[in-house]
């Protein structure tokens, strides 16, 4: 399965050629990679660089490099992975414990700060790196390190323990490691950790136990809550455990949680997290545009969770969700250049941002993409997602192939029953909505090709054998004795459309958004318009213009007064056309103001 | 000047008889008062209780007790003040330095953490306590302690230093101390500290230099920003310095800052602070109802600043501002019982709150008043304001008396030129709008009585000599040779009214508030209504009902869907009358939901 061209191929190319090395460069310069070597030489250095979770960033970039080396084999990458692996291994204790931040005589004792120490979280990312390396290059030293670390975790946090890590991540990682190694023990440990959370064993905190998702047991919770990334990673682990153990109740709990979160706690971009204070979900329908947190890492985690739920249930609405997040948060969070990033992804920029000092930002705020952040979890997280993105497009089962995400790609695989099947997809999606699927390999028996018609795609048309027929959102399944060269075409309607928010979302009452295909559009101003004064007329549908849209707008001159509450006032200007562009392209032209939600007249 | 009855007299009574002792009880139990004795016995104890700024809470409650003892002399209070003074003095170093948290062999060195150590901040509150004690009971040991502490500050932070405290407060305190002692040195030091801030000498922080107001020099700033309390205290100090040194430019800078802040960064309640993350002002027009921070301390500081600007400029619009804050934040932040408090004052409670665990809250959030907070700056701050509230009602100048706030009170004073003047005010304001002012003392020459007609009071009537005449918002000045027994009556219109927000306030677009006199009203539901579904009809004015109002409302049944963005939808219900009540009375009937801003149909 290869992405061969178009929107995501270009993102993958830049990721492999620029982003990975950019991230490695920063981590080397900041000493995060050096921490492993520093503690590896027996006596060790007392000066450790970075925050307590910096090991995890090294593991995540190692994971990203491993996927990238699989996607596009590269000797330099391979050598760098091996070198990092050797340094990581050098820092591992004889009993398998691995952390550069804890456990040595001059450091805090192992597991003395489960709430904030991130030790198991870091090991989780180590495991995921090892899984990626193994899947792309076969078993090797990184897998050995991971197994020893996982064995240590099983020994310390086994059935006799009550400990959980303040930041979930190890749960899903242990299941992934169990899949690669066939080791039941890792799956059992993951299940233990999933069940153990929610009993308030972590210390009480200003942000509440919900911050750690330690407020309610996973199988009793009805919605995602607290710290968004923590909550989403935990849910990923719970689905993994549920699938591997056949635990339908646990799966149903996460299905409910995701459903309620998607329906009530998600920004129109698919971004999650409403609060800067604790990087957390807000209450239902608290979705401010201007203080949207919508952390990049949370979006990576949302794609991970949606994909797990898709695989577990077969329901393509999870692919709809992943598509939204991919095109409107992931694509936004990383700049074209592959060297600039958003940590938080606001939906409303009120005042033009200041460029960050020296490239690195101390805060998660945005308005301009930054080269690096003091906490740079997001950058390697995007990198590992982009490098492994082809895994999210197509699935195979006994009866055929299912296309979940549209990109130019070649599929050459076997169905679950072993028959060969191949497809070539040609499309310039999301610029246009035409998707041509050609059979390139077929086993001579009937099998099915299933296409996802996105939830937004009212009016889609399927063309088979020169016949056009309307298809409704959902799955279109065609079962045939496919011959090489057979072609299907899906035409998704790409007219821009107005989208209204649920009236319970106070923050965007009286506003409308404009979407085109899977893309959320936005109004951006580099000084030419006062977006505070913008009012959009919704009497006519927006017109398509390039890959964006044009709407009719008026600019109401704001009336300043000494006190901003009193009589209603409006001083409408003359209608003008206003160009809207894909949200993911904003903030590329320097400091600007921006709105996704447009007040109506 | 005494408040003799009505709304604020009851608040003062409860403050003196309950709140002061409640706060002292907590501080004793938590060991905050004990810290002074613990370090006072030479060797000292190594175990210190509370956060690094806990000394300030002891000073603030000492200030409150000092005002209260002046208002209503009480031997127990007096004895407690003396006992505390003795403990405080015992902790003072020979060179005047005073902190229970820094400077001893087992503690961090003095001034080693100016950004977060709060040492000068604490001394500032010590000075204010000493000023209050001196004004109410004459010079004594607390003033001696304060002078020694202030002298030490002048020595360390004099012209050769570049240091400022991360939390302003010492600036205004030094000027107040200069006023009480006549000591020019303290005023000079305050001026130095005001000028020294804004040059980024404090360390860079995730929250930005604006958090400390160290981003821009005071005289160059055009709006309050960063941490609300820090910003407001600094502005108080700047006004104090400007007034005492005749620095019109500095005063003009703060006038501009307050004006822009009031016009663009203040909630309808008069509350300031839009962000939980850094307890900070948001950008212009970022005023979310549900995540309003509107910290109680910021409101105390706003009243302090408004009063300073009123005294400096004579402009009664500052008294309008103080009235709004007093009635809608201060009155809200403390419960009837005098033992329960809000730290943050939200304008929208979406889900009924959980009672805090054991009475003490770890977070600033609300929904129910709490007995105590881990950071309990707000409670003693309200206590000192309420105990000294009579200072905010009336001013005297050469030509007469000016009434700025309306409460039942007796004034017996001299004009600035020495002539005696006395008034008795009778009113049940803000329940009704009638204010009767009777002359109780007069010197036999013409002098003026000035009444403030609040900005909201369109249609006010003045009754003099049985003659009624309409008066516009602003000042009404009557100059006469007043005789004892002469009476004026002001009738302020108390019809409830709709108030619309500036269209640039995104968070409350499409909503209306209802006010009555100085009171902001709210809709509250203890389970009887779904306030998420509330829509108010604004075709008819709200009707008065008790001290609240009744509006016509419909409840639109919310339509749940899997994704909250799509076609516009409305399922209006039948119109029903909805009772609104003063905001300051909300959350008295147990967990509830509440809205100040009411979506319109």
């Amino acid at each position: 399965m290869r992405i061969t061209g178009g929107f995501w191929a270009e993102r993958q190319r830049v990721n492999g050629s620029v982003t990975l090395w950019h991230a490695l460069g920063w981590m080397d310069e900041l000493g995060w990679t050096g921490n492993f070597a520093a503690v590896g030489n027996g006596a060790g250095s007392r000066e450790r660089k970075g925050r307590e979770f910096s090991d995890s960033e090294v593991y995540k970039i190692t994971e990203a490099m491993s996927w990238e080396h699989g996607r596009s084999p590269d000797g330099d990458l391979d050598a760098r992975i091996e070198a990092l692996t050797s340094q990581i291994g050098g820092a591992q204790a004889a009993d398998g414990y691995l952390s550069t931040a804890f456990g040595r005589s001059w450091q805090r004792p192992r597991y003395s700060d489960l709430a904030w120490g991130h030790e198991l979280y870091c090991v989780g990312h180590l495991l995921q790196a090892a899984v990626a390396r193994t899947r792309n290059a076969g078993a090797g030293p990184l897998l050995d390190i991971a197994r020893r670390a996982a064995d240590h975790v099983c020994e310390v946090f086994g059935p006799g323990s009550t400990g959980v890590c303040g930041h979930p991540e190890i749960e899903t990682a242990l299941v992934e490691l169990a899949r690669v190694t066939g080791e039941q023990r890792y799956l059992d440990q993951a299940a233990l950790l999933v069940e153990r959370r929610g009993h308030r064993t972590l210390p009480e905190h200003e942000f509440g136990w919900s911050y750690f998702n330690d407020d309610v047991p996973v199988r009793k919770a009805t919605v995602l809550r607290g710290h968004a990334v923590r909550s989403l990673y935990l849910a990923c682990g719970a689905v993994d455990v549920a699938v591997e153990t056949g635990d339908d109740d646990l799966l149903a709990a996460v299905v409910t949680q995701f459903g309620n979160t998607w329906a009530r706690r998600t920004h129109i971009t698919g971004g999650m997290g409403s609060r800067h204070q604790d990087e957390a979900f807000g209450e239902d329908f608290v979705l401010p545009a201007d203080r949207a947190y919508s952390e990049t890492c949370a979006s990576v985690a949302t794609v991970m969770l949606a994909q797990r739920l898709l695989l577990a249930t077969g329901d393509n609405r999870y692919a709809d969700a992943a598509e939204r997040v991919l095109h409107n948060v992931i694509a936004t969070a990383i700049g074209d250049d592959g060297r600039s990033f958003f940590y938080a992804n606001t939906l409303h920029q009120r005042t033009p941002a200041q460029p960050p000092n020296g490239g690195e930002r101390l805060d998660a705020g945005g308005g301009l993409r930054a080269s690096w952040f003091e906490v740079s979890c997001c950058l390697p997280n995007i990198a590992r997602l982009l490098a492994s993105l082809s895994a999210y497009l197509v699935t195979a089962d006994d009866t055929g192939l299912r296309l979940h995400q549209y990109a130019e790609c070649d599929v050459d695989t076997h169905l679950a029953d072993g028959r060969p099947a191949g497809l070539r997809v040609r499309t310039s999606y999301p610029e246009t909505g035409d998707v041509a699927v050609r059979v390139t390999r077929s086993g001579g028996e009937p099998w099915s090709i299933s296409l996802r018609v996105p939830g937004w795609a009212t009016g889609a048309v399927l063309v088979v054998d020169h016949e056009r027929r309307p298809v409704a959102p959902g799955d279109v399944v065609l079962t045939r004795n496919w011959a090489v060269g057979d072609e299907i075409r899906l035409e998704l309607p790409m007219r821009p459309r107005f989208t209204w928010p649920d009236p319970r979302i106070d923050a965007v009452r009286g506003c409308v958004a404009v979407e085109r295909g899977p893309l959320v559009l936005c109004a951006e101003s580099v000084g030419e318009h006062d977006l505070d004064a913008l009012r959009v007329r919704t009497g006519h549908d927006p017109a398509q213009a390039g890959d964006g849209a044009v709407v009719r707008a008026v600019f109401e001159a704001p009336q300043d007064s000494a006190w901003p509450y009193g009589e209603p006032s409006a001083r409408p200007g003359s209608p003008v056309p206003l160009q809207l562009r894909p949200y993911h392209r904003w903030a590329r032209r320097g400091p600007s103001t921006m709105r996704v939600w447009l007040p109506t007249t």
Side-chain angles (χ1 to χ4, degrees), chain A:
Chain A
M1 166 74 216
R2 296 185 56 76
I3 301 175
T4 52
F7 189 90
W8 291 111
E10 173 62 11
R11 297 294 184 130
Q12 287 195 311
R13 187 189 67 74
V14 173
N15 186 56
S17 59
V18 179
T19 305
L20 296 180
W21 304 101
H22 171 86
L24 272 173
W26 271 98
M27 290 190 204
D28 286 346
E29 192 178 317
L30 293 171
W32 298 359
T33 47
N35 284 334
F36 290 95
V39 299
N41 58 8
S45 158
R46 276 156 200 269
E47 198 197 1
R48 191 185 167 280
K49 302 298 177 61
R51 301 275 291 265
E52 61 272 58
F53 41 76
S54 70
D55 291 0
S56 74
E57 315 305 356
V58 178
Y59 300 143
K60 274 193 288 189
I61 207 69
T62 304
E63 179 188 341
M65 292 191 292
S66 299
W67 289 115
E68 179 62 16
H69 180 54
R71 190 187 77 82
S72 175
D74 176 315
D76 287 349
L77 261 186
D78 195 45
R80 190 67 209 263
I81 294 168
E82 287 302 311
L84 273 173
T85 298
S86 161
Q87 290 176 319
I88 292 166
Q92 188 166 36
D95 64 357
Y97 177 83
L98 181 42
S99 162
T100 67
F102 285 84
R104 291 166 193 84
S105 59
W106 63 92
Q107 295 174 326
R108 287 186 286 167
R110 293 176 180 184
Y111 308 124
S112 56
D113 183 11
L114 281 177
W116 300 101
H118 287 78
E119 288 157 282
L120 294 184
Y121 168 83
C122 288
V123 169
H125 279 300
L126 166 69
L127 270 43
Q128 290 192 315
V131 167
R133 181 66 171 158
T134 306
R135 288 203 186 280
N136 287 283
L142 191 56
L143 184 62
D144 295 339
I145 295 168
R147 291 189 74 134
R148 284 198 298 274
D151 289 340
H152 176 77
V153 169
C154 293
E155 259 147 64
V156 177
F157 293 93
S161 162
T162 58
V164 292
C165 182
H167 200 314
E169 156 63 26
I170 185 87
E171 298 82 358
T172 189
L174 281 166
V175 181
E176 291 187 57
L177 187 67
R179 287 173 180 147
V180 159
T181 60
E183 188 73 67
Q184 177 73 24
R185 183 185 192 188
Y186 302 148
L187 174 60
D188 295 344
Q189 181 63 43
L192 266 182
L193 289 171
V194 166
E195 300 295 346
R196 196 177 283 161
R197 190 172 297 265
H199 301 282
R200 307 194 175 195
T201 56
L202 290 167
E204 192 174 7
H205 185 265
E206 177 191 352
F207 297 157
W209 277 292
S210 63
Y211 177 84
F212 302 115
N213 268 236
D214 198 29
D215 54 339
V216 180
V218 177
R219 62 176 76 237
K220 291 198 177 159
T222 57
V223 69
L224 300 180
R225 70 229 171 271
H227 187 269
V229 179
R230 283 171 167 80
S231 190
L232 287 155
Y233 280 175
L234 178 64
C236 287
V239 175
D240 286 337
V241 167
V243 166
E244 296 299 330
T245 61
D247 187 336
D248 292 343
D249 289 347
L250 184 58
L251 177 60
V254 181
V255 165
T256 298
Q257 289 161 31
F258 186 87
N260 285 332
T261 304
W262 195 251
R264 292 165 172 251
R265 298 187 173 189
T266 305
H267 293 282
I268 190 173
T269 53
M272 293 187 184
S274 299
R275 308 204 312 215
H276 280 244
Q277 185 184 27
D278 43 2
E279 308 192 307
F281 287 103
E283 294 171 292
D284 286 351
F285 303 113
V286 179
L287 294 160
D290 51 3
R291 292 287 284 173
Y293 200 64
S294 182
E295 185 184 336
T296 300
C297 281
S299 292
V300 172
T302 304
V303 174
M304 287 166 56
L305 179 57
Q307 185 72 2
R308 280 162 171 74
L309 289 169
L310 169 64
L311 292 169
T313 66
D315 189 338
N316 244 333
R317 283 176 297 182
Y318 296 113
D320 279 9
E323 171 179 77
R324 183 171 289 276
V325 178
L326 284 167
H327 284 89
N328 299 296
V329 192
I330 301 298
T332 308
I334 179 166
D336 261 6
D337 58 5
R339 308 174 186 279
S340 58
F341 307 85
F342 284 132
Y343 187 119
N345 294 278
T346 188
L347 277 73
H348 181 183
Q349 183 72 24
R350 292 174 176 273
T351 52
Q354 297 294 316
N357 224 347
E360 183 180 355
R361 283 192 78 101
L362 297 183
D363 65 315
L368 283 175
R369 294 176 187 84
S371 176
W372 198 253
F373 292 85
E374 195 201 356
V375 175
S376 262
C377 45
C378 295
L379 196 161
N381 228 346
I382 300 182
R384 67 182 184 135
L385 176 62
L386 287 178
S388 62
L389 195 67
S390 62
Y392 293 83
L393 271 57
V394 180
T395 60
D397 61 18
D398 271 357
T399 61
L401 296 182
R402 301 182 69 196
L403 273 68
H404 304 290
Q405 305 296 341
Y406 296 120
E408 225 166 79
C409 63
D410 287 342
V411 186
D412 186 3
T413 187
H414 296 83
L415 306 187
D417 64 9
R419 282 179 290 161
L423 298 175
R424 169 160 296 178
V425 181
R426 288 296 170 266
T427 181
S428 53
Y429 192 82
E431 203 181 317
T432 72
D434 287 0
V435 181
V437 180
R438 199 168 164 226
V439 176
T440 55
R441 208 155 156 240
S442 185
E445 297 265 316
W447 53 284
S448 61
I449 299 174
S450 147
L451 304 176
R452 177 179 63 94
V453 181
W456 51 263
T458 309
V461 170
L462 187 75
V463 187
V464 194
D465 300 334
H466 308 290
E467 236 176 78
R468 299 171 59 82
R469 63 172 167 104
V471 285
D475 291 358
V476 180
V477 185
L478 294 163
T479 306
R480 292 194 177 185
N481 192 344
W482 295 104
V484 171
D486 284 354
E487 192 166 294
I488 317 168
R489 222 173 66 235
L490 182 64
E491 295 176 7
L492 298 172
M494 301 299 271
R495 290 179 307 280
R497 61 192 188 275
F498 284 123
T499 302
W500 280 263
D502 187 296
R504 288 168 288 186
I505 305 176
D506 288 87
V508 296
R509 175 173 287 111
C511 292
V512 71
V514 180
E515 297 181 280
R516 180 175 173 273
L519 300 177
V520 175
L521 307 185
C522 71
E524 186 182 10
S525 170
V526 189
E528 65 273 37
H529 295 300
D530 175 4
L531 294 186
D532 279 348
L534 169 65
R535 301 290 176 269
V536 165
R537 295 187 168 185
T538 56
H540 297 273
D541 281 344
Q544 187 170 337
D547 62 355
V550 168
V551 292
R552 294 180 192 207
V554 295
F555 289 88
E556 293 182 353
Q559 298 185 280
D560 284 323
S561 65
W563 178 242
Y565 309 101
E567 295 296 315
S569 69
R571 199 195 287 172
S574 313
V576 292
L578 179 73
Q579 171 78 45
L580 306 178
R581 295 186 177 83
Y583 168 69
H584 69 76
R585 285 222 309 272
W586 91 278
R588 289 197 191 166
R589 295 177 292 156
S592 62
T593 59
M594 182 276 295
R595 297 190 75 112
V596 165
W597 288 105
L598 314 172
T600 58
T601 50

